[in-house]
Amino acid sequence: HGTIKAVELQGAINQLYLNVVTVGTTQSRVVLHLEAGEYVINSTIYLPPYTTIKGAGINKTIIRMIGSGPAFQTVSSESTAETPVASSSTLSSSTQARNIEVSDITLNLDNNRGFDLVNCKDSIFKNINVTGTWLNADVYNPSTDGIYYGFIMTAKDSSVTCRDNVFENVTVSNIQYSVYSDYDVISNVWKSCKFESNYIGFAFGTDLVLGSVGQQTGPTNNTIDSCVFKNINQQAILITNGQYNRSIQNKFFEVGNNNSDEDNSEFAVI
């Protein structure tokens, strides 16, 4: 534990989950434990299928990303230790990123990005704190400054997409977007999560080009349940394109006020 280089953490992941001797077998279904301490990384960590990373707990195992991000990106089983492959023309439901689990960590970001979920399905993200350095009063223009996020979800197409992932007890704070997707991501669930000091909480379909590959409808049948939104400059949940998404028993505090007070609401909560 302590300071670790990205290449060292990636090497451990490759050895456990992309080892040519054990890949695809039950021998690779193991847990990578990160003991309490701070782990400093300077480049993206790639997560192949069946990667399971478990820390000692929020604010106990701390991963600090000092590179340009994203801190983590899911990749397919077409990947090798030398060449991570997030998407390809031959990618299918049997090779896409899947059955990944990350839990019990804090991810500290410094003007960079969190989890890039590419064609990721049937995965669990639990007991995670993703925190950045952005403040509600900071000037931010997505079109010129880029998209900064806790989680972004993309898809190869409507069949090989991010689907059936579960996010539980996840906090995203002081970063511009908590969750962002323009793609046909399907049936993902956020439960008992907290989103605080964001520009926008959930942004679904804001830059979608309707009819493009993987963008036939936008996010569909996703559920945000029993979550808390606090100090969100604009919308807590913004669905510009998408269908059948649900907000259930969520709580909203100081949302849509553009860093002002409740008497100066400028944006809808949902």
Side-chain angles (χ1 to χ4, degrees), residues 172 178 190 193-198 202 227-230 232:
V172 181
S178 288
W190 289 264
C193 297
K194 184 177 181 180
F195 309 103
E196 184 173 6
S197 297
N198 309 129
F202 281 69
C227 296
V228 175
F229 295 82
K230 185 177 181 181
I232 311 297

Side-chain angles (χ1 to χ4, degrees), residues 12-268:
I13 291 170
N14 292 344
Q15 178 63 28
L16 292 173
Y17 306 108
L18 288 177
N19 189 318
V20 293
V21 177
T22 59
V23 66
T25 71
T26 54
Q27 289 175 277
S28 65
R29 310 296 191 259
V30 294
V31 178
L32 174 57
H33 290 278
L34 294 181
E35 299 297 332
E38 183 179 64
Y39 301 79
V40 181
I41 59 174
N42 59 3
S43 60
T44 299
I45 300 299
Y46 297 100
L47 306 175
Y50 297 99
T51 296
T52 303
I53 296 176
K54 185 176 179 63
I58 291 174
N59 294 330
K60 296 178 182 178
T61 297
I62 300 170
I63 299 175
R64 183 161 62 92
M65 175 55 160
I66 62 173
S68 58
F72 293 98
Q73 183 183 92
T74 61
V75 295
S76 74
S77 56
E78 295 178 354
S79 301
T80 65
E82 295 76 24
T83 308
V85 177
S87 191
S88 71
S89 60
T90 57
L91 190 70
S92 68
S93 60
S94 62
T95 58
Q96 72 182 99
R98 62 201 183 278
N99 300 107
I100 293 166
E101 183 172 347
V102 180
S103 66
D104 300 288
I105 65 167
T106 288
L107 175 60
N108 286 344
L109 306 172
D110 183 8
N111 199 32
N112 40 35
R113 299 159 174 85
F115 288 82
D116 188 349
L117 306 184
V118 185
N119 310 312
C120 180
K121 69 174 182 178
D122 300 327
S123 295
I124 298 173
F125 302 87
K126 185 176 181 179
N127 301 333
I128 298 173
N129 184 4
V130 181
T131 182
T133 57
W134 185 79
L135 302 175
N136 295 77
D138 291 345
V139 175
Y140 175 60
N141 185 338
S143 61
T144 57
D145 298 337
I147 303 299
Y148 292 86
Y149 52 79
F151 293 84
I152 194 170
M153 309 177 80
T154 57
K156 175 194 173 189
D157 53 43
S158 298
S159 59
V160 181
T161 183
C162 286
R163 65 182 307 148
D164 300 311
N165 299 295
V166 175
F167 305 81
E168 186 174 353
N169 192 32
V170 171
T171 296
V172 181
S173 61
N174 296 102
I175 191 165
Q176 290 87 332
Y177 291 88
S178 288
V179 181
Y180 187 96
S181 183
D182 286 320
Y183 288 82
D184 302 343
V185 301
I186 303 169
S187 299
N188 301 285
V189 176
W190 289 264
K191 186 173 180 62
S192 300
C193 297
K194 184 177 181 180
F195 309 103
E196 184 173 6
S197 297
N198 309 129
Y199 177 71
I200 292 177
F202 281 69
F204 280 169
T206 56
D207 290 315
L208 176 146
V209 180
L210 198 61
S212 296
V213 176
Q215 298 185 1
Q216 301 301 305
T217 61
T220 299
N221 285 325
N222 300 286
T223 301
I224 307 165
D225 184 1
S226 302
C227 296
V228 175
F229 295 82
K230 185 177 181 181
N231 294 329
I232 311 297
N233 274 24
Q234 297 193 8
Q235 298 89 347
I237 302 172
L238 173 62
I239 303 176
T240 309
N241 290 281
Q243 56 186 7
Y244 311 124
N245 299 289
R246 293 174 292 276
S247 169
I248 303 172
Q249 300 186 92
N250 297 302
K251 296 181 179 179
F252 307 92
F253 304 95
E254 299 179 43
V255 171
N257 306 321
N258 205 14
N259 197 39
S260 185
D261 55 40
E262 294 287 358
D263 294 330
N264 295 283
S265 180
E266 297 184 34
F267 300 91

